[in-house]
């Protein structure tokens, strides 16, 4: 519970409703929180993963430095690609939002995102889930 609360705190500090969100995002990104949040994605607790993904997506929102840091964080893009698959649990859309924000706010991160193993397949699968086959 404490770990999930810590990730939720980072989300709240970086959310655009917080008057200091821009300054907080800078500090959060530069202080190593991205790697700490990335490590939480290996936890089996869905709530911890949800809170970590929520914080990552908000840290990335409109902050190109943090987006690039997420794309460069060892193993993070691969983990996000894994979380896009239905067998990974209930956090598929949350993982997709992190990827979306990184691609939208940092052009430099896009080639790394596209090159991450399983990323395109995961995004395609998520986008077409429940849709009739396109074959």
């Amino acid at each position: 519970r404490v770990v999930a609360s810590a990730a939720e705190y980072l989300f709240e500090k970086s959310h655009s409703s917080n008057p200091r969100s821009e300054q907080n995002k800078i500090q959060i990104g530069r202080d190593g929180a991205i790697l700490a949040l990335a490590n939480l994605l290996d936890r089996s607790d869905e709530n911890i993963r949800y809170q970590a993904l929520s914080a990552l997506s908000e840290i990335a929102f409109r902050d190109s430095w943090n987006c690039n840091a997420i794309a460069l964080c060892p193993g993070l893009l691969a983990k996000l690609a894994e979380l896009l698959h239905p067998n990974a649990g209930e956090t598929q859309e949350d993982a997709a939002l992190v990827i979306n924000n990184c691609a939208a706010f940092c052009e430099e991160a896009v080639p790394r995102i596209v090159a991450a193993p399983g990323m395109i397949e995961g995004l395609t699968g998520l986008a077409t889930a429940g849709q009739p086959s396109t074959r």
Side-chain angles (χ1 to χ4, degrees), residues 41 46 49-58 79-102 119 122-131:
L41 298 180
E46 288 276 336
R49 285 199 311 267
Y50 167 75
Q51 295 298 343
L53 290 165
S54 295
L56 285 167
S57 67
E58 199 58 42
K79 187 62 183 177
L80 290 170
E82 276 179 40
L83 292 173
L84 293 172
H85 294 280
N87 60 351
E90 300 293 322
T91 53
Q92 297 152 311
E93 288 88 1
D94 305 298
L97 185 56
V98 176
I99 297 159
N100 174 77
N101 287 351
C102 288
M119 185 67 72
L123 289 169
T124 302
L126 183 60
T128 60
Q131 302 295 321

Side-chain angles (χ1 to χ4, degrees), residues 3-104:
V3 174
S5 294
E8 183 177 15
Y9 175 79
L10 292 176
F11 169 83
E12 291 170 358
K13 286 299 200 180
S14 58
H15 192 270
S16 57
S17 65
N18 185 310
R20 293 188 37 83
S21 66
E22 287 185 35
Q23 297 92 333
N24 292 340
K25 285 181 190 187
I26 291 168
Q27 183 176 355
I28 290 167
R30 277 48 164 205
D31 285 351
I34 292 169
L35 179 58
L37 290 166
N39 289 334
L40 295 180
L41 298 180
D42 290 324
R43 299 285 187 100
S44 60
D45 185 312
E46 288 276 336
N47 186 47
I48 291 174
R49 285 199 311 267
Y50 167 75
Q51 295 298 343
L53 290 165
S54 295
L56 285 167
S57 67
E58 199 58 42
I59 289 167
F61 187 71
R62 295 187 180 177
D63 189 303
S64 63
W65 194 95
N66 284 342
C67 292
N68 198 41
I70 288 169
L72 291 170
C73 184
L76 181 49
L77 290 178
K79 187 62 183 177
L80 290 170
E82 276 179 40
L83 292 173
L84 293 172
H85 294 280
N87 60 351
E90 300 293 322
T91 53
Q92 297 152 311
E93 288 88 1
D94 305 298
L97 185 56
V98 176
I99 297 159
N100 174 77
N101 287 351
C102 288

